[in-house]
Short mmCIF file of all heavy atoms in Angstrom, two decimals:
data_model
loop_
_atom_site.label_atom_id
_atom_site.label_comp_id
_atom_site.label_asym_id
_atom_site.label_seq_id
_atom_site.Cartn_x
_atom_site.Cartn_y
_atom_site.Cartn_z
N ASN A 551 -10.91 -48.83 16.43
CA ASN A 551 -9.45 -49.00 16.47
C ASN A 551 -8.78 -47.71 16.95
O ASN A 551 -7.79 -47.74 17.69
CB ASN A 551 -8.93 -49.38 15.09
CG ASN A 551 -9.29 -50.81 14.72
OD1 ASN A 551 -9.47 -51.65 15.62
ND2 ASN A 551 -9.41 -51.10 13.44
N LYS A 552 -9.31 -46.55 16.48
CA LYS A 552 -8.75 -45.28 16.94
C LYS A 552 -8.92 -45.12 18.45
O LYS A 552 -7.99 -44.71 19.16
CB LYS A 552 -9.43 -44.12 16.21
CG LYS A 552 -9.03 -44.02 14.73
CD LYS A 552 -9.72 -42.84 14.07
CE LYS A 552 -9.32 -42.73 12.59
NZ LYS A 552 -10.00 -41.59 11.93
N CYS A 553 -10.14 -45.48 18.95
CA CYS A 553 -10.38 -45.39 20.40
C CYS A 553 -9.43 -46.32 21.16
O CYS A 553 -8.88 -45.98 22.22
CB CYS A 553 -11.83 -45.74 20.73
SG CYS A 553 -13.00 -44.54 20.06
N LEU A 554 -9.23 -47.53 20.63
CA LEU A 554 -8.33 -48.50 21.28
C LEU A 554 -6.90 -47.98 21.28
O LEU A 554 -6.17 -48.12 22.28
CB LEU A 554 -8.42 -49.83 20.55
CG LEU A 554 -7.57 -50.97 21.12
CD1 LEU A 554 -8.01 -51.27 22.56
CD2 LEU A 554 -7.73 -52.23 20.26
N GLU A 555 -6.49 -47.35 20.19
CA GLU A 555 -5.14 -46.80 20.14
C GLU A 555 -4.97 -45.67 21.16
O GLU A 555 -3.93 -45.57 21.83
CB GLU A 555 -4.85 -46.29 18.73
CG GLU A 555 -4.69 -47.41 17.70
CD GLU A 555 -4.48 -46.86 16.29
OE1 GLU A 555 -4.52 -45.61 16.14
OE2 GLU A 555 -4.30 -47.67 15.36
N GLU A 556 -6.01 -44.81 21.28
CA GLU A 556 -5.94 -43.75 22.28
C GLU A 556 -5.84 -44.32 23.70
O GLU A 556 -5.07 -43.85 24.55
CB GLU A 556 -7.16 -42.84 22.16
CG GLU A 556 -7.17 -42.04 20.86
CD GLU A 556 -8.42 -41.19 20.74
OE1 GLU A 556 -9.28 -41.28 21.64
OE2 GLU A 556 -8.53 -40.43 19.72
N ALA A 557 -6.64 -45.40 23.97
CA ALA A 557 -6.59 -46.03 25.30
C ALA A 557 -5.22 -46.63 25.56
O ALA A 557 -4.68 -46.55 26.67
CB ALA A 557 -7.66 -47.10 25.41
N GLN A 558 -4.63 -47.25 24.50
CA GLN A 558 -3.28 -47.81 24.67
C GLN A 558 -2.26 -46.72 24.96
O GLN A 558 -1.34 -46.89 25.76
CB GLN A 558 -2.90 -48.59 23.42
CG GLN A 558 -3.68 -49.91 23.25
CD GLN A 558 -3.28 -50.64 21.99
OE1 GLN A 558 -2.56 -50.09 21.16
NE2 GLN A 558 -3.79 -51.86 21.84
N LYS A 559 -2.39 -45.58 24.24
CA LYS A 559 -1.48 -44.47 24.50
C LYS A 559 -1.59 -43.99 25.95
O LYS A 559 -0.59 -43.73 26.63
CB LYS A 559 -1.78 -43.31 23.55
CG LYS A 559 -1.37 -43.60 22.11
CD LYS A 559 -1.69 -42.40 21.21
CE LYS A 559 -1.27 -42.68 19.77
NZ LYS A 559 -1.59 -41.54 18.88
N GLN A 560 -2.88 -43.86 26.44
CA GLN A 560 -3.08 -43.45 27.82
C GLN A 560 -2.47 -44.46 28.79
O GLN A 560 -1.85 -44.10 29.81
CB GLN A 560 -4.57 -43.27 28.12
CG GLN A 560 -5.19 -42.11 27.34
CD GLN A 560 -6.68 -42.00 27.58
OE1 GLN A 560 -7.25 -42.81 28.34
NE2 GLN A 560 -7.31 -41.00 26.96
N LEU A 561 -2.64 -45.78 28.47
CA LEU A 561 -2.06 -46.82 29.31
C LEU A 561 -0.53 -46.71 29.33
O LEU A 561 0.11 -46.86 30.38
CB LEU A 561 -2.50 -48.19 28.80
CG LEU A 561 -1.96 -49.39 29.61
CD1 LEU A 561 -2.46 -49.32 31.07
CD2 LEU A 561 -2.43 -50.70 28.96
N GLU A 562 0.07 -46.44 28.17
CA GLU A 562 1.52 -46.27 28.11
C GLU A 562 1.96 -45.07 28.96
O GLU A 562 2.99 -45.12 29.66
CB GLU A 562 1.96 -46.08 26.65
CG GLU A 562 1.85 -47.32 25.78
CD GLU A 562 2.80 -48.41 26.26
OE1 GLU A 562 3.86 -48.07 26.83
OE2 GLU A 562 2.45 -49.60 26.08
N GLU A 563 1.18 -43.95 28.89
CA GLU A 563 1.51 -42.79 29.71
C GLU A 563 1.44 -43.13 31.20
O GLU A 563 2.30 -42.73 32.00
CB GLU A 563 0.56 -41.64 29.38
CG GLU A 563 0.77 -41.08 27.98
CD GLU A 563 -0.23 -39.98 27.67
OE1 GLU A 563 -1.11 -39.73 28.53
OE2 GLU A 563 -0.15 -39.40 26.56
N VAL A 564 0.41 -43.90 31.59
CA VAL A 564 0.27 -44.31 32.99
C VAL A 564 1.46 -45.16 33.41
O VAL A 564 2.02 -45.01 34.51
CB VAL A 564 -1.05 -45.07 33.20
CG1 VAL A 564 -1.09 -45.72 34.60
CG2 VAL A 564 -2.23 -44.09 33.05
N ARG A 565 1.86 -46.10 32.50
CA ARG A 565 3.01 -46.95 32.84
C ARG A 565 4.29 -46.12 32.98
O ARG A 565 5.12 -46.35 33.87
CB ARG A 565 3.19 -48.01 31.76
CG ARG A 565 2.12 -49.09 31.79
CD ARG A 565 2.33 -50.07 30.66
NE ARG A 565 1.31 -51.11 30.70
CZ ARG A 565 1.20 -52.09 29.77
NH1 ARG A 565 2.06 -52.10 28.76
NH2 ARG A 565 0.28 -53.01 29.89
N VAL A 566 4.47 -45.10 32.08
CA VAL A 566 5.66 -44.24 32.17
C VAL A 566 5.65 -43.45 33.48
O VAL A 566 6.68 -43.34 34.18
CB VAL A 566 5.71 -43.29 30.95
CG1 VAL A 566 6.79 -42.22 31.14
CG2 VAL A 566 5.99 -44.09 29.68
N ASN A 567 4.46 -42.91 33.86
CA ASN A 567 4.34 -42.18 35.13
C ASN A 567 4.65 -43.07 36.33
O ASN A 567 5.31 -42.67 37.30
CB ASN A 567 2.94 -41.58 35.27
CG ASN A 567 2.69 -40.49 34.24
OD1 ASN A 567 3.64 -39.83 33.80
ND2 ASN A 567 1.44 -40.30 33.87
N ARG A 568 4.17 -44.36 36.20
CA ARG A 568 4.43 -45.31 37.30
C ARG A 568 5.93 -45.58 37.42
O ARG A 568 6.48 -45.60 38.53
CB ARG A 568 3.67 -46.60 37.05
CG ARG A 568 3.94 -47.64 38.12
CD ARG A 568 3.25 -48.93 37.79
NE ARG A 568 3.62 -49.96 38.73
CZ ARG A 568 3.20 -51.22 38.67
NH1 ARG A 568 2.38 -51.56 37.70
NH2 ARG A 568 3.60 -52.11 39.58
N GLN A 569 6.61 -45.75 36.32
CA GLN A 569 8.06 -45.98 36.37
C GLN A 569 8.79 -44.76 36.97
O GLN A 569 9.73 -44.89 37.77
CB GLN A 569 8.58 -46.28 34.97
CG GLN A 569 8.12 -47.63 34.42
CD GLN A 569 8.62 -47.87 33.01
OE1 GLN A 569 9.30 -47.01 32.44
NE2 GLN A 569 8.29 -49.04 32.45
N ARG A 570 8.34 -43.56 36.51
CA ARG A 570 8.97 -42.35 37.05
C ARG A 570 8.75 -42.25 38.56
O ARG A 570 9.64 -41.88 39.34
CB ARG A 570 8.39 -41.12 36.32
CG ARG A 570 9.16 -39.86 36.65
CD ARG A 570 8.74 -38.71 35.73
NE ARG A 570 7.31 -38.43 35.80
CZ ARG A 570 6.47 -38.69 34.81
NH1 ARG A 570 6.91 -39.24 33.70
NH2 ARG A 570 5.18 -38.44 34.95
N VAL A 571 7.51 -42.60 39.02
CA VAL A 571 7.22 -42.58 40.47
C VAL A 571 8.08 -43.59 41.20
O VAL A 571 8.60 -43.33 42.30
CB VAL A 571 5.72 -42.83 40.70
CG1 VAL A 571 5.43 -43.10 42.18
CG2 VAL A 571 4.90 -41.63 40.23
N ASP A 572 8.23 -44.79 40.58
CA ASP A 572 9.07 -45.82 41.21
C ASP A 572 10.50 -45.32 41.35
O ASP A 572 11.17 -45.53 42.38
CB ASP A 572 9.04 -47.11 40.41
CG ASP A 572 7.68 -47.77 40.48
OD1 ASP A 572 6.90 -47.45 41.40
OD2 ASP A 572 7.39 -48.63 39.58
N GLN A 573 11.01 -44.65 40.33
CA GLN A 573 12.38 -44.11 40.39
C GLN A 573 12.51 -43.04 41.49
O GLN A 573 13.49 -43.00 42.23
CB GLN A 573 12.76 -43.53 39.04
CG GLN A 573 12.93 -44.57 37.95
CD GLN A 573 13.23 -43.95 36.58
OE1 GLN A 573 13.29 -42.72 36.48
NE2 GLN A 573 13.41 -44.82 35.58
N ASP A 574 11.45 -42.19 41.60
CA ASP A 574 11.48 -41.16 42.64
C ASP A 574 11.48 -41.79 44.03
O ASP A 574 12.17 -41.34 44.96
CB ASP A 574 10.28 -40.23 42.50
CG ASP A 574 10.37 -39.40 41.22
OD1 ASP A 574 11.50 -39.30 40.67
OD2 ASP A 574 9.32 -38.87 40.75
N VAL A 575 10.67 -42.89 44.17
CA VAL A 575 10.61 -43.58 45.47
C VAL A 575 11.96 -44.18 45.83
O VAL A 575 12.44 -44.10 46.97
CB VAL A 575 9.50 -44.65 45.45
CG1 VAL A 575 9.60 -45.54 46.67
CG2 VAL A 575 8.13 -43.97 45.39
N MET A 576 12.58 -44.80 44.81
CA MET A 576 13.89 -45.40 45.06
C MET A 576 14.91 -44.33 45.43
O MET A 576 15.76 -44.52 46.34
CB MET A 576 14.35 -46.17 43.83
CG MET A 576 13.52 -47.42 43.57
SD MET A 576 13.99 -48.24 42.03
CE MET A 576 15.63 -48.77 42.50
N ALA A 577 14.86 -43.19 44.74
CA ALA A 577 15.79 -42.09 45.08
C ALA A 577 15.54 -41.60 46.51
O ALA A 577 16.50 -41.32 47.29
CB ALA A 577 15.63 -40.96 44.08
N ALA A 578 14.25 -41.51 46.86
CA ALA A 578 13.92 -41.06 48.23
C ALA A 578 14.42 -42.05 49.26
O ALA A 578 14.92 -41.67 50.33
CB ALA A 578 12.42 -40.85 48.36
N GLN A 579 14.30 -43.36 48.96
CA GLN A 579 14.80 -44.39 49.88
C GLN A 579 16.31 -44.28 50.06
O GLN A 579 16.83 -44.40 51.19
CB GLN A 579 14.41 -45.77 49.36
CG GLN A 579 12.92 -46.06 49.45
CD GLN A 579 12.57 -47.42 48.84
OE1 GLN A 579 13.46 -48.10 48.32
NE2 GLN A 579 11.29 -47.77 48.93
N ARG A 580 17.02 -44.04 48.93
CA ARG A 580 18.47 -43.92 49.05
C ARG A 580 18.85 -42.69 49.90
O ARG A 580 19.77 -42.73 50.75
CB ARG A 580 19.09 -43.81 47.65
CG ARG A 580 19.17 -45.16 46.93
CD ARG A 580 20.07 -45.07 45.70
NE ARG A 580 19.58 -44.09 44.72
CZ ARG A 580 18.75 -44.37 43.73
NH1 ARG A 580 18.31 -45.62 43.61
NH2 ARG A 580 18.38 -43.43 42.90
N LYS A 581 18.14 -41.59 49.62
CA LYS A 581 18.41 -40.39 50.42
C LYS A 581 18.13 -40.63 51.91
O LYS A 581 18.84 -40.15 52.80
CB LYS A 581 17.57 -39.23 49.91
CG LYS A 581 18.04 -38.71 48.55
CD LYS A 581 17.15 -37.56 48.09
CE LYS A 581 17.60 -37.05 46.73
NZ LYS A 581 16.75 -35.91 46.27
N LEU A 582 17.00 -41.39 52.18
CA LEU A 582 16.65 -41.67 53.57
C LEU A 582 17.71 -42.52 54.25
O LEU A 582 18.10 -42.25 55.41
CB LEU A 582 15.28 -42.36 53.61
CG LEU A 582 14.73 -42.65 55.01
CD1 LEU A 582 14.56 -41.34 55.82
CD2 LEU A 582 13.39 -43.38 54.89
N ARG A 583 18.19 -43.54 53.52
CA ARG A 583 19.25 -44.38 54.11
C ARG A 583 20.52 -43.56 54.37
O ARG A 583 21.19 -43.69 55.41
CB ARG A 583 19.56 -45.55 53.19
CG ARG A 583 18.50 -46.64 53.22
CD ARG A 583 19.01 -47.92 52.54
NE ARG A 583 19.34 -47.70 51.14
CZ ARG A 583 18.52 -47.87 50.13
NH1 ARG A 583 17.26 -48.26 50.37
NH2 ARG A 583 18.92 -47.66 48.89
N GLN A 584 20.85 -42.68 53.40
CA GLN A 584 22.04 -41.86 53.56
C GLN A 584 21.88 -40.89 54.76
O GLN A 584 22.81 -40.68 55.58
CB GLN A 584 22.31 -41.07 52.28
CG GLN A 584 23.58 -40.26 52.33
CD GLN A 584 23.82 -39.51 51.03
OE1 GLN A 584 23.03 -39.61 50.14
NE2 GLN A 584 24.91 -38.76 50.99
N ALA A 585 20.64 -40.33 54.85
CA ALA A 585 20.38 -39.40 55.97
C ALA A 585 20.47 -40.11 57.32
O ALA A 585 21.02 -39.58 58.32
CB ALA A 585 19.02 -38.74 55.80
N SER A 586 19.93 -41.34 57.34
CA SER A 586 19.98 -42.11 58.60
C SER A 586 21.42 -42.40 58.99
O SER A 586 21.82 -42.28 60.18
CB SER A 586 19.21 -43.42 58.43
OG SER A 586 17.87 -43.14 58.13
N THR A 587 22.21 -42.77 57.96
CA THR A 587 23.64 -43.06 58.24
C THR A 587 24.35 -41.80 58.74
O THR A 587 25.15 -41.83 59.69
CB THR A 587 24.31 -43.58 56.96
OG1 THR A 587 23.59 -44.71 56.48
CG2 THR A 587 25.74 -43.98 57.25
N ASN A 588 24.05 -40.70 58.06
CA ASN A 588 24.70 -39.45 58.49
C ASN A 588 24.30 -39.05 59.91
O ASN A 588 25.13 -38.57 60.70
CB ASN A 588 24.34 -38.32 57.52
CG ASN A 588 24.95 -38.56 56.13
OD1 ASN A 588 25.99 -39.23 56.04
ND2 ASN A 588 24.36 -37.95 55.13
N VAL A 589 23.01 -39.20 60.22
CA VAL A 589 22.54 -38.85 61.56
C VAL A 589 23.20 -39.71 62.62
O VAL A 589 23.65 -39.26 63.68
CB VAL A 589 21.01 -38.95 61.62
CG1 VAL A 589 20.52 -38.85 63.08
CG2 VAL A 589 20.39 -37.83 60.80
N LYS A 590 23.29 -40.99 62.32
CA LYS A 590 23.91 -41.92 63.28
C LYS A 590 25.38 -41.56 63.48
O LYS A 590 25.88 -41.49 64.62
CB LYS A 590 23.75 -43.34 62.75
CG LYS A 590 24.28 -44.37 63.71
CD LYS A 590 24.03 -45.76 63.12
CE LYS A 590 24.56 -46.81 64.11
NZ LYS A 590 24.36 -48.16 63.59
N HIS A 591 26.03 -41.32 62.35
CA HIS A 591 27.45 -40.96 62.46
C HIS A 591 27.63 -39.64 63.22
O HIS A 591 28.56 -39.48 64.02
CB HIS A 591 28.03 -40.87 61.04
CG HIS A 591 29.47 -40.50 61.02
ND1 HIS A 591 30.50 -41.39 61.40
CD2 HIS A 591 30.10 -39.32 60.70
CE1 HIS A 591 31.66 -40.78 61.30
NE2 HIS A 591 31.44 -39.50 60.86
N TRP A 592 26.73 -38.69 62.91
CA TRP A 592 26.83 -37.38 63.57
C TRP A 592 26.59 -37.52 65.08
O TRP A 592 27.29 -36.92 65.87
CB TRP A 592 25.80 -36.44 62.94
CG TRP A 592 25.74 -35.10 63.60
CD1 TRP A 592 24.87 -34.65 64.53
CD2 TRP A 592 26.65 -34.06 63.41
NE1 TRP A 592 25.12 -33.38 64.91
CE2 TRP A 592 26.27 -32.97 64.21
CE3 TRP A 592 27.78 -33.89 62.62
CZ2 TRP A 592 26.95 -31.76 64.27
CZ3 TRP A 592 28.42 -32.66 62.72
CH2 TRP A 592 28.02 -31.64 63.51
N ASN A 593 25.62 -38.31 65.48
CA ASN A 593 25.35 -38.51 66.91
C ASN A 593 26.54 -39.14 67.62
O ASN A 593 26.91 -38.76 68.76
CB ASN A 593 24.11 -39.34 67.09
CG ASN A 593 22.84 -38.58 66.73
OD1 ASN A 593 22.81 -37.34 66.87
ND2 ASN A 593 21.81 -39.28 66.33
N VAL A 594 27.14 -40.09 66.93
CA VAL A 594 28.31 -40.76 67.56
C VAL A 594 29.43 -39.76 67.75
O VAL A 594 30.08 -39.69 68.80
CB VAL A 594 28.75 -41.94 66.67
CG1 VAL A 594 30.08 -42.50 67.19
CG2 VAL A 594 27.68 -43.03 66.71
N GLN A 595 29.67 -38.98 66.70
CA GLN A 595 30.77 -38.01 66.80
C GLN A 595 30.47 -36.95 67.87
O GLN A 595 31.37 -36.54 68.63
CB GLN A 595 30.97 -37.33 65.42
CG GLN A 595 31.49 -38.27 64.34
CD GLN A 595 32.90 -38.74 64.61
OE1 GLN A 595 33.74 -38.02 65.28
NE2 GLN A 595 33.20 -39.98 64.18
N MET A 596 29.24 -36.50 67.90
CA MET A 596 28.88 -35.48 68.88
C MET A 596 29.01 -36.02 70.29
O MET A 596 29.50 -35.33 71.20
CB MET A 596 27.46 -34.99 68.62
CG MET A 596 27.34 -34.11 67.37
SD MET A 596 28.24 -32.56 67.48
CE MET A 596 27.37 -31.73 68.81
N ASN A 597 28.57 -37.25 70.50
CA ASN A 597 28.69 -37.86 71.83
C ASN A 597 30.16 -38.02 72.21
O ASN A 597 30.55 -37.89 73.37
CB ASN A 597 27.98 -39.19 71.87
CG ASN A 597 26.45 -39.01 71.83
OD1 ASN A 597 25.95 -37.99 72.34
ND2 ASN A 597 25.76 -39.99 71.32
N ARG A 598 30.96 -38.35 71.18
CA ARG A 598 32.38 -38.56 71.46
C ARG A 598 33.08 -37.25 71.76
O ARG A 598 33.96 -37.18 72.62
CB ARG A 598 33.04 -39.25 70.26
CG ARG A 598 34.49 -39.62 70.51
CD ARG A 598 35.04 -40.32 69.28
NE ARG A 598 34.28 -41.53 69.03
CZ ARG A 598 34.42 -42.26 67.95
NH1 ARG A 598 35.25 -41.90 67.00
NH2 ARG A 598 33.69 -43.37 67.82
N LEU A 599 32.71 -36.18 71.06
CA LEU A 599 33.41 -34.92 71.25
C LEU A 599 32.88 -34.15 72.46
O LEU A 599 33.64 -33.54 73.20
CB LEU A 599 33.27 -34.04 70.01
CG LEU A 599 33.98 -34.57 68.74
CD1 LEU A 599 33.65 -33.67 67.57
CD2 LEU A 599 35.51 -34.57 68.96
#
Side-chain angles (χ1 to χ4, degrees):
N551 288 333
K552 289 181 180 179
C553 294
L554 182 60
E555 289 177 357
E556 293 178 357
Q558 288 179 352
K559 289 180 180 179
Q560 294 176 0
L561 180 61
E562 289 295 331
E563 293 177 356
V564 170
R565 288 178 179 176
V566 170
N567 293 331
R568 178 184 174 182
Q569 290 178 359
R570 190 169 58 250
V571 168
D572 291 341
Q573 291 176 359
D574 293 341
V575 169
M576 291 175 67
Q579 290 177 358
R580 283 193 299 270
K581 289 180 181 180
L582 183 60
R583 285 193 299 268
Q584 184 179 0
S586 299
T587 305
N588 293 333
V589 169
K590 184 177 180 181
H591 180 73
W592 176 261
N593 289 330
V594 171
Q595 292 293 332
M596 288 295 295
N597 289 329
R598 185 178 299 172
L599 293 174

